[in-house]
Amino acid sequence: MPPILPDFSSSVKLKYVKLGYQYLVNHIITLTLIPIMIGVTIELIRLGPNEILNLWNSLNLNLVQILCSSFLVIFIATVYFMSKPRTIYLVDYACFKPPVTCRVPFATFMEHSRLILKDNPKSVEFQMRILERSGLGEETCLPPSIHYIPPKPTMESARGEAELVIFSAMDSLFEKTGLKPKDIDILIVNCSLFSPTPSLSAMVINKYKLRSNIKSFNLSGMGCSAGLISIDLARDLLQVHPNSNAVVVSTEIITPNYYQGKERAMLLPNCLFRMGGAAIMLSNRTTEKRRSKYRLVHVVRTHKGGDDKAYKCVYEEEDREGKVGISLQKDLMAIAGEALKSNITTMGPLVLPASEQLLFLITLIGRKIFNPKWKPYIPDFKQAFEHFCIHAGGRAVIDELQKNLQLSTEHVEASRMTLHRFGNTSSSSLWYELNYIESKGRMKKGDRVWQIAFGSGFKCNSAVWKCNRSIKTPIDGPWADCIDRYPVHIPEIVKL
């Protein structure tokens, strides 16, 4: 029997070679400057103080030249610091925890489906198959109006859900931060599918009697990635309004959007979307730096709306019976993959260390010049981030990103557990995931977090945060009463 060759790909020595390469490339400037500084120091010591003084005197500088040089240095420094973007701090945030009375176990969901769709057993069976493979748990929640048979999606009940979710999150944020309503300078509310008049932002202003000169915005129709669009908008506003506080509220109101028809593509959201919301306080005040949790580093937005398939892959429309619902097309994951590829192409140069960028560049040149069949190099984003918050849109979304980004089970744990405990809460899911990481005591000072979200249109948006301080395990919040049970094993199929 011929001798078996060692597996060089998993060799310990190869691992150290890679680590050495990463250290060398990532610290090339430091490693170059150190010998130069040592050489200069040795030369200065060799010359001695008299030679250095003679060299200085030989320059023949007069007072005017010194003053002009000093003025130039001060002018350049002033221009630099005035043009430097303001630092945006995430002071704190709060997530809505639905009441236990809104809980929808699998048995309850399927019983309601059988009663509502009693004339269409195939649709009931389809929903059961989706639920079995969804990755959701038994504690996800739907608003009270959906618990009726048949559901009662009235305007009054939709407003009631909005008030419950938004006001609960806002009250919790005020309690955690000590923020007073009159201290809010900017308010942004995003809710994709429920856009009443007056707007939800006006509802918040009325409830808390906010100032008359507040800058308020209400974003609708922008899908599950609207939360990061709101963060981006808040960042831009805080750049031009100094010494200001901004509050962002991200939610999705389920009540008016629960589909009661028979189209399978429209029944899918019923199985995945659940109640949820979050309120986030941002500030550009330097006084908030000390107590803030995170600092915003980057926001990258990608929009594929120019492509017809991408535009229509998540589409609100009427079915053949005139019932309105959200249609999810089969090519959704392929389109999401293309959007992600475009997004990380922009994000990569901003966050990846030089070692990863160099390997990617070498591979790209090799494929262009030598052999197009070379396997493309996928950058190791684990070198750039300690934590990943992937939008909990569904099991397939998390699986696809874990595969494409080559992430470990622990890296996607927060996303999978959020989907299991709370379901797809749309734009607010990223904040439940961040709170999961904090509740596990894993967030340390200097850690970098990558939030990735997808939304109709089709959009892929991402944000990068850097932790300002080691965060103590919170004693309250949505995970407070269940974090000890997580992570849990989620089977591929839960037989109902």
Side-chain angles (χ1 to χ4, degrees), residues 86 88 186 234-241 244 246 282-284:
R86 290 189 175 91
I88 308 302
I186 299 164
R235 179 189 65 170
D236 291 345
L237 290 166
L238 288 170
Q239 290 301 325
V240 295
H241 296 288
S244 298
L282 302 173
S283 181
N284 58 15

Side-chain angles (χ1 to χ4, degrees), residues 188-202:
I188 303 170
V189 179
N190 70 266
C191 178
S192 186
L193 294 169
F194 181 55
S195 184
T197 300
S199 66
L200 295 177
S201 58

Side-chain angles (χ1 to χ4, degrees), residues 68-83:
C68 289
S69 300
S70 302
F71 174 78
L72 183 62
V73 170
I74 294 169
F75 176 75
I76 292 171
T78 303
V79 170
Y80 170 76
F81 284 110
M82 288 187 69
S83 60

Side-chain angles (χ1 to χ4, degrees), residues 93-105:
Y93 63 96
C95 297
F96 167 70
K97 184 178 180 183
V100 69
T101 52
C102 293
R103 194 166 65 89
V104 185

Side-chain angles (χ1 to χ4, degrees), residues 49-263:
N50 293 329
E51 285 290 332
I52 295 171
L53 188 61
N54 292 334
L55 186 64
W56 175 260
N57 292 331
S58 67
L59 294 175
N60 296 320
L61 294 174
N62 58 39
L63 184 60
V64 175
Q65 288 175 321
I66 294 172
L67 288 175
C68 289
S69 300
S70 302
F71 174 78
L72 183 62
V73 170
I74 294 169
F75 176 75
I76 292 171
T78 303
V79 170
Y80 170 76
F81 284 110
M82 288 187 69
S83 60
K84 188 180 178 183
R86 290 189 175 91
T87 303
I88 308 302
Y89 300 104
L90 192 162
V91 180
D92 212 333
Y93 63 96
C95 297
F96 167 70
K97 184 178 180 183
V100 69
T101 52
C102 293
R103 194 166 65 89
V104 185
F106 292 155
T108 303
F109 184 90
M110 291 313 305
E111 182 185 2
H112 281 216
S113 294
R114 291 187 186 97
L115 292 170
I116 295 166
L117 299 169
K118 57 186 176 182
D119 298 328
N120 198 325
K122 287 187 176 180
S123 294
V124 175
E125 185 182 344
F126 170 75
Q127 284 190 303
M128 184 171 71
R129 288 203 308 272
I130 294 297
L131 206 61
E132 286 176 337
R133 296 162 174 80
S134 64
L136 271 69
E138 297 275 11
E139 296 181 275
T140 61
C141 296
L142 285 170
S145 61
I146 306 301
H147 289 253
Y148 287 96
I149 303 175
K152 297 182 178 179
T154 62
M155 177 60 77
E156 183 182 3
S157 58
R159 284 187 184 275
E161 181 193 350
E163 290 172 358
L164 172 64
V165 174
I166 295 174
F167 295 164
S168 297
M170 290 286 289
D171 289 344
S172 181
L173 182 70
F174 289 144
E175 184 180 348
K176 291 173 79 172
T177 61
L179 180 70
K180 295 180 175 57
K182 65 180 179 61
D183 292 331
I184 300 175
D185 303 290
I186 299 164
L187 173 67
I188 303 170
V189 179
N190 70 266
C191 178
S192 186
L193 294 169
F194 181 55
S195 184
T197 300
S199 66
L200 295 177
S201 58
M203 181 184 80
V204 173
I205 292 170
N206 176 258
K207 165 70 176 179
Y208 296 102
K209 311 305 177 189
L210 304 185
R211 302 197 319 253
S212 60
N213 65 341
I214 190 170
K215 297 163 186 66
S216 66
F217 302 83
N218 197 96
L219 307 183
S220 63
M222 305 197 81
C224 299
S225 66
L228 296 185
I229 295 173
S230 298
I231 294 294
D232 190 37
L233 175 59
R235 179 189 65 170
D236 291 345
L237 290 166
L238 288 170
Q239 290 301 325
V240 295
H241 296 288
N243 202 36
S244 298
N245 293 321
V247 170
V248 172
V249 180
S250 294
T251 188
E252 190 58 79
I253 304 305
I254 306 295
T255 297
N257 304 297
Y258 194 82
Y259 178 64
Q260 299 183 56
K262 303 172 184 176
E263 292 290 332

